[in-house]
Amino acid sequence: MRCAGIAFGLALAALLAAAPALAATNGVGRPGYGKTLAREMCGECHVVAPDQKSGGDPLAPNLVERVQDAGITELALRAYLQTSHPIMPNVRLTVEQTDDIVAYLLSLKGAKR
Ligand code: HEC
């Protein structure tokens, strides 16, 4: 249990160290990290970048196009990613990964496609 305690302490320290950097941006997420995460975790099915030719799953909407929709808000994305849905597999994301991916996707609003 000592090890777990140390690991938790380290994680907490890392989180606290990151806090001032996060406060410098508008949202909590880091779009730069989110882009990499989205390519790795979502890109096999969805188009997640304007320069990505196609997603792998014909049922998965092109997210670059979807985020142009005014209804795709931060809240809508978070709700979608945190609840279960019938067709898309439930991707398990940490809070940080969710923040980063949501920040990245929202940064695509207005992106050329
Ligand atoms: C294995 C394939 C697959 C992966 C991986 C995947 N998705 Fe999906 N996603 C889908 C499919 C299929 C749908 C359409 C579901 C439906 O129509 O109900 C969908 C739907 C969505 C929607 C709803 C879009 C809309 O039009 O309302 C969002 C948002 C979304 N995915 C985000 C993500 C994000 C972010 C990731 C990565 C963390 C991800 N998805 C990973 C297959 C995938």
Side-chain angles (χ1 to χ4, degrees), residues 7-83:
F8 179 74
L10 285 176
L12 197 68
L15 208 69
L16 292 175
L22 295 180
T25 64
N26 289 331
V28 277
R30 299 156 301 178
Y33 287 93
K35 181 172 192 175
T36 308
L37 284 172
R39 280 188 195 272
E40 285 173 2
M41 306 182 73
C42 326
E44 69 184 82
C45 299
H46 293 279
V47 170
V48 293
D51 60 359
Q52 187 183 336
K53 296 271 180 293
S54 63
D57 185 337
L59 291 175
N62 177 326
L63 292 182
V64 179
E65 285 174 8
R66 281 299 288 144
V67 294
Q68 310 308 323
D69 189 322
I72 304 291
T73 58
E74 172 170 3
L75 195 66
L77 285 172
R78 285 182 181 282
Y80 191 83
L81 293 175
Q82 278 156 26
T83 52

